Amino acid sequence: MSFFKIICGVLVGVLLAIKLKEINHPIWMYLSIALSIFVLAYILNRLSFVLDFLDGIMGEIGLQSGYFEILIKIVGLSYMCEFTANVCRESGFAAVASQIEIGGKLTMMVMSMPILVAIVETITSVL
């Protein structure tokens, strides 16, 4: 299924959610979350092809894939935090959304420590 079809379906869903929100029907929130999960599932399906391709390139070059895996996990965490924070904001929980973003940033910083240590070791070995 092309992304154009996904966009058209989501647009119809969003217009329906807007109408439901105008008449104060509570199902608009569930429709909004379902549309977001639908798009996220499509993107994750496409992302597997990219990850397989990049993993193949890393194998051919002979680079250590441990750092690459850390970077992919950090990118995935940032997308999940963004998605969750947006759902919280849409639901009216802006304070919770801010806390999710701060927690995600701190977690990404901790996850990136092995890469930072490797960079510092490389710099000190050259000097």
Side-chain angles (χ1 to χ4, degrees):
M1 184 182 297
S2 70
F3 197 63
F4 179 73
K5 291 178 185 177
I6 299 291
I7 290 173
C8 289
V10 168
L11 185 59
V12 169
V14 166
L15 293 175
L16 178 63
I18 289 171
K19 284 296 180 187
L20 290 171
K21 187 176 181 180
E22 286 175 358
I23 62 172
N24 291 328
H25 199 284
I27 201 165
W28 73 269
M29 179 59 62
Y30 300 115
L31 181 60
S32 174
I33 292 171
L35 290 170
S36 298
I37 290 172
F38 179 67
V39 172
L40 183 65
Y42 177 81
I43 291 170
L44 289 177
N45 185 25
R46 294 292 186 182
L47 187 63
S48 66
F49 294 117
V50 174
L51 293 178
D52 291 340
F53 174 75
L54 291 175
D55 193 38
I57 289 176
M58 295 295 285
E60 289 177 12
I61 295 174
L63 293 176
Q64 211 176 27
S65 65
Y67 298 130
F68 178 71
E69 290 175 9
I70 292 171
L71 290 175
I72 294 298
K73 288 179 183 179
I74 290 172
V75 170
L77 177 65
S78 69
Y79 283 131
M80 294 304 291
C81 287
E82 178 90 16
F83 176 78
T84 306
N86 286 337
V87 168
C88 289
R89 243 183 235 101
E90 184 72 22
S91 302
F93 295 98
V96 175
S98 297
Q99 295 302 316
I100 288 172
E101 289 174 342
I102 291 171
K105 289 173 185 175
L106 290 173
T107 304
M108 286 183 262
M109 187 176 71
V110 169
M111 289 175 68
S112 66
M113 293 305 285
I115 297 172
L116 181 63
V117 168
I119 291 171
V120 169
E121 287 176 353
T122 303
I123 290 172
T124 56
S125 69
V126 170
L127 298 177

